[in-house]
Amino acid sequence: MMHLPFLKSGRHHLLHSSNIMAELASTSEIPKHPTKDEICQSLLAHDASTFFEGKPAVDIPRAAVLIPLFFKNEELHVLLTVRSQHLNTHGGEVAFPGGKEDETDVDIVETALREAEEEIGLPQDQVEVISKVVPSIAKYGIVVTPIVGFISEDFVPQPNPDEVECAFSVPLADFLSDENHTLQRGTWQDRPWIMHFFHHPHTTNAGKKIVTWGLTAHMAMVVASMIYKRPPNFETDKGFIWENPTKAAEETYFRFLSRNGYLEPQEGSKL
């Protein structure tokens, strides 16, 4: 498996460099088209490998997705899929390749790589793993950890029709732009929530329009904000803390644990 020399976790350990962190602290606004090194540094600054350390040990279903990045015409792109219509959950929706953790997986990184290989034919040794992103809570109470990695721009997806209808790519910066973006207000965990929809006018699936929304859109927004070091150009709810994704994820995680009976609420808690 191809990795940057300072990245490993479990079997794929993720090590942090104080020199990198010091350099980040003195770096001004990231360029419009960041270099690969700058992208790696930005992601490592928010690496979530230790997110679950010191937190209650609870038996929650876990899953992982791979967020595959590559450069196309010197612009950073991200690869996504459209799930097969016949799937029991999220059929026909846009998603990153990924799925539930298998008991044979060495760690959550392997989960993401294994699922990507199964879904789109991406060989595991052709992914340059960069970092873990803060986990999110999926609709059915599954904790999903995004794994960010670089792939070759020459990679040609081979969708497994049992799971994936098609694969496509868009510039990652699209997930910070108000162009082709709409939103819908609602509630989640009894709190105000804004759902984001990204319309991809230049990409279709058998003539049908493609829209990225929900958890996939949220994760793309988080990663884009990390890399470009700025918030989206549109309104977000209070749960989206672009400059401190760990704080936002911890608040959501503990609220989820409390409301689903994994934790006893603290006196005076607002969870």
Side-chain angles (χ1 to χ4, degrees):
M1 198 165 299
M2 181 167 42
H3 298 282
L4 292 179
F6 46 81
L7 294 172
K8 302 177 178 179
S9 153
R11 185 171 69 184
H12 318 277
H13 300 290
L14 286 157
L15 304 181
H16 299 275
S17 167
S18 58
N19 292 335
I20 290 177
M21 298 303 116
E23 181 178 341
L24 279 170
S26 62
T27 302
S28 59
E29 184 178 357
I30 198 164
K32 182 177 180 182
H33 295 299
T35 66
K36 184 177 178 180
D37 284 346
E38 290 167 334
I39 291 168
C40 293
Q41 291 172 1
S42 296
L43 291 169
L44 281 174
H46 297 288
D47 180 70
S49 292
T50 60
F51 181 85
F52 293 104
E53 292 182 7
K55 293 181 174 62
V58 291
D59 185 17
I60 302 177
R62 301 184 185 277
V65 298
L66 179 67
I67 301 183
L69 303 178
F70 64 96
F71 286 98
K72 181 178 179 180
N73 298 325
E74 300 184 354
E75 185 174 12
L76 187 63
H77 279 62
V78 62
L79 184 69
L80 298 124
T81 72
V82 177
R83 290 168 57 84
S84 293
Q85 293 284 351
H86 67 266
L87 293 174
N88 293 330
T89 58
H90 307 291
E93 296 180 9
V94 173
F96 291 112
K100 291 182 180 179
E101 184 180 32
D102 191 288
E103 60 182 13
T104 61
D105 293 335
V106 173
D107 55 26
I108 206 68
V109 174
E110 182 168 344
T111 301
L113 298 178
R114 173 182 54 76
E115 288 284 347
E117 184 167 29
E118 292 175 2
E119 292 183 8
I120 58 174
L122 175 61
Q124 297 186 36
D125 61 0
Q126 291 185 22
V127 181
E128 188 177 11
V129 176
I130 306 301
S131 71
K132 293 180 183 178
V133 178
V134 289
S136 297
I137 309 296
K139 180 179 179 181
Y140 298 104
I142 300 174
V143 178
V144 183
T145 299
I147 307 299
V148 183
F150 272 96
I151 63 174
S152 170
E153 65 176 304
D154 297 324
F155 169 67
V156 179
Q158 299 176 1
N160 175 353
D162 291 335
E163 301 187 63
V164 174
E165 285 192 0
C166 73
F168 67 99
S169 66
V170 295
L172 182 64
D174 283 4
F175 293 100
L176 298 178
S177 173
D178 56 3
E179 186 177 0
N180 301 314
H181 166 269
T182 57
L183 59 81
Q184 179 178 322
R185 301 179 191 279
T187 58
W188 188 68
Q189 294 186 357
D190 299 328
R191 292 196 173 193
W193 184 261
I194 296 178
M195 184 80 73
H196 299 276
F197 299 80
F198 297 90
H199 306 261
H200 308 296
H202 305 298
T203 305
T204 61
N205 174 27
K208 295 179 289 187
K209 294 181 179 179
I210 294 178
V211 180
T212 302
W213 61 284
L215 187 63
T216 300
H218 172 79
M219 291 188 291
M221 288 165 53
V222 169
V223 172
S225 291
M226 287 180 183
I227 290 175
Y228 290 98
K229 297 185 177 181
R230 67 175 181 83
N233 291 338
F234 44 80
E235 180 185 2
T236 58
D237 55 58
K238 293 182 179 179
F240 187 84
I241 309 174
W242 73 272
E243 65 271 55
N244 192 346
T246 299
K247 178 182 178 181
E250 286 181 337
E251 290 177 355
T252 299
Y253 183 67
F254 278 111
R255 189 162 60 248
F256 168 79
L257 293 183
S258 178
R259 290 186 175 275
N260 288 274
Y262 293 103
L263 293 179
E264 289 296 327
Q266 299 287 329
E267 185 177 349
S269 171
K270 298 181 180 180
L271 291 177

